[in-house]
Amino acid sequence: MGKIEKRHHKKVDRGDLQQNLSEKFVWAIAYGSCIGWGSFILPGDWISQSGSIAAAIGITIGALLMIIIGVSYGALVKHFPVSGGAFAFSYLSFGRYVSFFSSWFLTFGYICVVALNATAFSLLLKFMMPGVLEHGKLYTIAGWDVYITEIIIATALLLLFTFITIRGAQVSGSLQYYFCIAMVVVVLLMFFGSFFGSGFSLSNLQPLAEEKKGWFTSIIMIVAVAPWAYVGFDNIPQTAEEFDFAPNKTFKLIVYSLLAAAGTYVLMILYTGWLSSRGAENSDLWVTGAVTQQSFGYIGLFVLAVAITMGIFTGLNGFLMSSSRLLFSMGRSGIMPGVFSKIHPRFKTPYVAILFLGALTLIAPWLGRTALTWIVDMSSTGVSVAYLVTCLSATKLFSYNKESNTYAPIYKTFAIVGSIFAFIFLGLLLIPGSPAALSTPSYIALIVWLVLGLAFFVVRYPKLKNMDKDELSRLILDTSQQKVDEILDEPDSEPTQTKA
């Protein structure tokens, strides 16, 4: 009996992450991760799919839906400000097995974004200096020629950001902040400068919506990409243990980051739209780059390249940081191998997790852009699963019962609505024929990753099954199982007693 007692109340080692992330750094991690390279590369695709104004409306609605989902993240961080965010929340409400699988997909989703940003930098250089990088062709994958020069550039970039992330959250956070400020300045400069561009005309915004599809379908097609377009706001909860401010400010930072991201997307859609002559639209080139070069020459293209470079850097930095915290939290609990929880003696960062993830992303440049895009499309599913599980966790945690320890009708309502939206987003990805349905190669990549997850789960199952529940709660949630049970305990409603 004494032995059991001792085991249940022993002090557990949760590592020693430093609390040195300020509010502005955390905002920058989220905003920079949401934007990445997408807002500068994709507007032309969205305009041709949906029309300029329908695309702008769709991406704005997407941000508002993400804010509704973000309420659950903010509310849960307020109660449990720990590393690992979605992993901790899924464990809280659904236990070790569900948390394993939801985190398995989310970690991969984050890593895919890191990989895609690294290869995007090579694409940018290829556009800026055509022919310069096309030396040392190795092979072709899915129609994409892979060159050794592109691999070297992407690898160097990944190694640089792996090193930066190991150096510490404050270094990563401050760099992220300055990258974001530079990106915002350049976007505003380009947007207001576009009024004086040689190709500027409001008539270029026509058609406002794709004529054959109509307004509703045109808008829904863009809303469907919201989980991918705004993935990154959920990086905030991953680093909660390193906040140097009160965790109840989390939701405010989520809202600010999503509104800033939506604003950036909309400005770049309008910029691309009203500078697009028919010639630029029909060009095989990247449309935003083509219209910039057409209106402002190579100086304008250089300014745009600065914005994209900042977007790529913020995506690399933000997701490498958050995915390492997710893996650290899983390693610390024993759900993943414990080696991932090792903290650097000097920089106080989970350096083994960072090195492992950095090494994993080094495979990406060898896959070719087409094959990598299939994997990234699949990873959107993992992100949507994390949104759904987090909202369901908040639905389970918060209560309409006034006698409950977690009485919070507003949080409960938003969690239910957020769960519905997250479920719809997941359906849009997985149901064949939907506007955002995965391609066949993406489905195959999803099945392969699921099979790998099941294989790893079978290997880890004996250890997972025998883990002490109280110790797990202390390691993952930084509180005892008894307190967790008290929080989750829902009292019976007894009208007579309440009246009395």
Side-chain angles (χ1 to χ4, degrees), residues 7-68:
R7 187 183 69 180
H8 275 264
H9 294 283
K10 70 177 181 181
K11 183 166 173 59
V12 295
D13 180 17
R14 302 188 75 256
D16 186 23
L17 294 173
Q18 288 186 329
Q19 293 181 310
N20 54 12
L21 280 178
S22 66
E23 288 179 61
K24 66 180 184 181
F25 290 174
V26 170
W27 169 82
I29 287 166
Y31 166 63
S33 300
C34 286
I35 290 301
W37 53 273
S39 62
F40 308 104
I41 305 292
L42 296 175
D45 296 344
W46 291 343
I47 289 169
S48 63
Q49 268 179 24
S50 296
S52 54
I53 301 304
I57 292 170
I59 206 70
T60 305
I61 292 171
L64 297 176
L65 297 183
M66 288 296 116
I67 287 173
I68 290 170

Side-chain angles (χ1 to χ4, degrees), residues 173-253:
S174 55
L175 272 177
Q176 188 85 349
Y177 180 70
Y178 294 121
F179 289 153
C180 284
I181 293 300
M183 186 161 59
V184 168
V185 168
V186 172
V187 166
L188 290 174
L189 187 67
M190 288 169 59
F191 179 75
F192 289 112
S194 69
F195 297 123
F196 307 99
S198 58
F200 174 79
S201 171
L202 289 178
S203 63
N204 288 339
L205 293 174
Q206 298 287 345
L208 305 183
E210 221 286 326
E211 288 161 4
K212 289 178 186 172
K213 294 171 188 159
W215 278 92
F216 180 76
T217 306
S218 297
I219 290 171
I220 288 298
M221 283 185 74
I222 305 300
V223 172
V225 304
W228 180 88
Y230 294 110
V231 60
F233 81 85
D234 49 318
N235 283 349
I236 291 180
Q238 309 299 349
T239 57
E241 217 164 296
E242 295 161 271
F243 291 174
D244 73 355
F245 55 90
N248 60 6
K249 294 181 177 178
T250 301
F251 178 61
K252 175 186 77 173
L253 293 172

Side-chain angles (χ1 to χ4, degrees), residues 3 20 26 62 66 70 88 269 273 278 290 350 366 391 408 434 491:
K3 196 173 180 183
N20 54 12
V26 170
M66 288 296 116
I269 288 169
R278 285 292 162 196
W366 298 84
C391 289
S434 87

Side-chain angles (χ1 to χ4, degrees), residues 29 64 170 217 247 286 302 347 374 432 462 468 494:
I29 287 166
L64 297 176
Q170 192 168 23
T217 306
W286 149 49
F302 174 77
F347 302 123
W374 294 337
D468 178 72
E494 293 181 21

Side-chain angles (χ1 to χ4, degrees), residues 73 86 90 98 101-103 105-106 227 379-392 422 425-426 429-430 446:
Y73 280 90
S90 57
V98 172
F101 279 105
S102 63
S103 304
F105 278 103
L106 184 60
S379 74
S380 301
T381 310
V383 173
S384 300
V385 167
Y387 292 160
L388 177 60
V389 171
T390 299
C391 289
L392 289 174
F425 281 132
L426 201 54
L429 287 165
L430 297 179
L446 181 64

